[in-house]
Amino acid sequence: MAQTEKAYWSSRTAFILASIGSAIGLGNVWRFPYICYKYGGGAFIIAYLVSLFLAGIPLLILEFALGQRIGGSAPVAFAKLSKKFAWIGWLAILVGFFITTYYAVIMSWAANYLVYSFKLSWGSDPKSFFFDKVLGLTDSIANFGSIQTHLVIGLIIMWVWIVLSIWKGAKTVSKVVYFTVTIPWLILITLVTGGLTLPNAFEGIKYYLTPKWSMLLKPQIWQAAFTQVFFSLSVGFGVMIAYASFLPPKSDLVNNAMIIALSDAATAYVGGFAVFSVLGYYAGLQGVEVAKVMKSGPELAFITYPEIINHLPLAPLVGVLFFLMLLTLAIDSAFSLVEGFVAGVMETFGTRRGRTNIFVAAVAFLIGIIYTTGAGLYWLDLVDHYMTFFGLFAVGFLEALVVGWFTDTEKIREMINAHSIVKIGKWWNVAVKFLVPIASIVLLLSSVIGIIIKPYGGYPRWAELVGGWLLLAIAVILAIILGKQTVKALKVKSSEG
Ligand code: PFF
């Protein structure tokens, strides 16, 4: 295998910031507040924290151990456990790769909105502005309409930004994350402070946090909590494995995992204040209930928020801050996914970093063009559903299964503890052997059964086959082929060494 230019983090802080940057994203300022409200406000926070400690943190520690103690990007770390398992690492990063193809497109929307904010270009009807002008949305998933040039331009800029951010791997990322983590945090605090001073803001907060304790007895709240914890911590896509592989040998993994997980949870909690304070204000303005103005997903950021911005003092400034926050929140999640993939490619094929970055970005950009067409939103929604759920639960399940049942779990726990100030007890073995795999398989089966009973989002079955099952089948087949390649590369390396 040719020598690869492996870079290390410039400091422990850089690693922590990079991992926090990957973990905090749209999941914290959109998904968490919305899901939290839906599943009982304060009660959900309890379910969230329980899931975080029972399954999220153990899985994060497991990924750190794979990357740092076993050593390598996801494919290499799994191949080192056993050559039978290299494909699992590839599956994780391939799913991550497919996610980046559309993640960058959402960033392109946000970049366009950043420009629109200066003149509040969405006018008095942000809904038709978003669907008709920005997306050029057609009437069905089969009708591609036309490619939206402004989205393609935004997409090119996003890819250049991503490639530059990871240009020399951990070395460049170490510098970039000081900005991409602190800027969205500063903006978030500004928006929360501003939001809380608006009339009726408190109504929104009450709505967000009032606990419905009886919800804790329902299985759905637990399902939602585990899903949110996994998604938010960025586990299951090989990102945290790759990031940990750039750590020096004697790193403390347990402490790092705790800091990262708790910062992520805190950001989500604060994110809720930013969202619900303005929703409370807007509901008061319209004389309707908060429930009526609350939306999830693209609607919240690209329709509801612009609509609210129209009614705020300092409207253009708030718009600029809001979309800048979305962009800086998203960029480090996006480049972490790319870095996880690039690291796997480089360690398997011995390719040079610069070329690998550009190659991966070019392929992802070309695939991303599909999402800039008039049917883009439909495909994005469909592929996202399959990839996120499959990636999170299937890979989480396989990781825990391999480490819990096919390797010496106790030895891995000792390896983790060797350089960690806070030691993990035997509870970690129980979490890895039972809690994480059981939670993941239950979530995986329930989402697969759900999809079989009722197609996701009411899309036609053929679209589901192409955007869901076919893509997953491609990922699995590629993972098996590439896994063999990783094993070969490791053999060559060990015979050379
Ligand atoms: N954790 C991110 C969020 O909460 O928005 C989403 C994400 C980013 C998931 C990167 C996975 C990943 F590898």
Side-chain angles (χ1 to χ4, degrees), residues 22-28 103 231-235 237 239 333 336-337:
S22 173
I24 64 174
L26 307 182
N28 300 60
Y103 207 90
F231 180 76
S232 199
L233 284 182
S234 298
V235 287
F237 304 117
V239 169
S333 298
S336 71
L337 285 164

Side-chain angles (χ1 to χ4, degrees), residues 19 189 303 338:
S19 307
I189 291 170
I303 298 172
V338 182

